[in-house]
Amino acid sequence: MIDDKVLDANRRALDNVQGWVGDQIHHIVDFAGKLHKEYSISGAIAEVGIHHGALFFILISIATGNEKCLAMDIFDDQHLNVDKSGKGSLATFEGHLANVFPEKRNSVDIWKVDSMSLSPTDLRERLSGQRVRLFSVDGGHTVAHVINDLNIAQDNLTPFGIVALDDFFGYHWPSVTEGYFRYMEFHNRRLAPFLIFQNKLFLTTFSEHEIVLKKYREYIDILFGEELHHKWKYSMLSGFKVIAKDK
Ligand SMILES: C[S@@+](CC[C@H](N)C(=O)[O-])C[C@H]1O[C@@H](n2cnc3c(N)ncnc32)[C@H](O)[C@@H]1O
């Protein structure tokens, strides 16, 4: 049932690339691909915070045709990594791209940039106007970074687009959770959370929240059926219904 391309990218990424990706996250990515296909959504795939690319390679496995794949990180400008979250390396990322994912070499745009210096319009220009359908927020983990990066994501997202926020409710990075709640209170215009899973919070666009939640729930039911009733539950977050899985 899972797309072979996603399964293969997940295996290659987890076997070869150091990172912190949950072992089931590829299912969520796979279903984003299926959902977007069903609703004829196309768009770029982007991540802020690449480190060595583990998650990025899984995300871009669903890219098709002219969809841009944008990798943003300060990379070796680590003096800009104010809270020491991960440690990007351009040489390591490029090495994995060349040796582990050579078929993606020509479709990845590597942008060495401090996301704190970006506006949503800067990203739009970099993508030549293409909106983003899958956006991972995993750069700096301070409150300010989270607010900034979610703002950039919301202004560039397609309808049905999905944002993954890393380290949500993570004990080591409470500032991510704090940043999320501040963002929701003071800055949010169109994002709605729908899933908490393997250290990440997933959000989609406000108008499509209900349908995305329903579709993911059905998919999760098929995937994890047996454990559904004791490990998954519906909860409320920021006024939105979400599906949440306990550890
Ligand atoms: C936790 S790591 C990313 C992990 C990666 N997504 C993965 O799954 O393997 C955080 C990354 O964010 C980068 N970073 C930190 N501050 C940043 C900023 N202001 N702008 C862009 N990237 C930043 C770091 O260099 C590091 O590579």
Side-chain angles (χ1 to χ4, degrees):
M1 186 176 49
I2 184 165
D3 190 300
D4 285 344
K5 285 201 295 293
V6 178
L7 203 56
D8 179 50
N10 184 61
R11 183 189 52 75
R12 281 190 280 163
L14 296 192
D15 284 355
N16 296 286
V17 186
Q18 189 268 323
W20 300 269
V21 187
D23 63 349
Q24 304 291 316
I25 289 294
H26 60 300
H27 287 296
I28 308 304
V29 175
D30 179 54
F31 192 62
K34 290 179 165 64
L35 185 78
H36 290 163
K37 195 168 179 190
E38 181 177 349
Y39 289 91
S40 303
I41 302 296
S42 66
I45 307 221
E47 178 167 53
V48 177
I50 297 294
H51 187 62
H52 297 173
L55 179 63
F56 184 73
F57 292 125
I58 298 169
L59 297 176
I60 65 172
S61 67
I62 65 166
T64 58
N66 295 327
E67 291 180 322
K68 295 175 189 292
C69 301
L70 180 60
M72 292 170 276
D73 200 297
I74 51 178
F75 291 113
D76 301 289
D77 285 344
Q78 285 296 313
H79 60 283
L80 297 169
N81 193 351
V82 296
D83 63 346
K84 304 288 171 244
S85 48
K87 192 175 180 196
S89 161
L90 186 55
T92 307
F93 178 57
E94 285 182 328
H96 290 320
L97 190 54
N99 300 318
V100 187
F101 294 91
E103 77 280 8
K104 293 288 184 187
R105 233 170 146 177
N106 297 327
S107 51
V108 172
D109 177 11
I110 302 175
W111 195 4
K112 183 171 180 246
V113 69
D114 174 2
S115 70
M116 295 302 282
S117 72
L118 287 183
S119 72
T121 315
D122 294 330
L123 184 71
R124 182 94 43 96
E125 283 169 8
R126 182 78 179 201
L127 292 170
S128 312
Q130 193 172 89
R131 296 268 178 156
V132 181
R133 68 177 172 112
L134 192 52
F135 196 122
S136 165
V137 173
D138 196 6
H141 282 35
T142 70
V143 169
H145 284 92
V146 170
I147 293 173
N148 179 71
D149 296 353
L150 285 174
N151 260 313
I152 292 171
Q154 79 166 344
D155 280 351
N156 282 283
L157 210 62
T158 59
F160 283 101
I162 289 173
V163 176
L165 173 64
D166 195 55
D167 279 311
F168 185 67
F169 284 155
Y171 293 124
H172 287 179
W173 301 100
S175 46
V176 169
T177 309
E178 187 181 346
Y180 162 80
F181 282 110
R182 285 230 219 141
Y183 164 83
M184 289 305 280
E185 189 162 0
F186 300 112
H187 306 271
N188 186 39
R189 193 167 61 72
R190 61 188 294 249
L191 296 185
F194 69 95
L195 173 68
I196 302 170
F197 182 56
Q198 290 205 326
N199 211 34
K200 290 190 190 291
L201 174 68
F202 294 87
L203 306 101
T204 189
T205 42
F206 183 91
S207 306
E208 289 73 27
H209 175 265
E210 197 177 326
I211 189 145
V212 171
L213 179 76
K214 178 173 173 289
K215 293 272 180 184
Y216 262 95
R217 169 72 197 208
E218 286 166 5
Y219 188 63
I220 286 166
D221 205 349
I222 294 166
L223 272 177
F224 303 105
E226 279 186 17
E227 64 175 40
L228 197 66
H229 298 289
H230 56 280
K231 291 213 166 158
W232 293 83
K233 89 184 269 294
Y234 281 123
S235 292
M236 293 300 290
L237 177 65
S238 309
F240 294 94
K241 196 169 177 182
V242 296
I243 322 165
K245 184 178 182 286
D246 200 0
K247 288 213 186 316

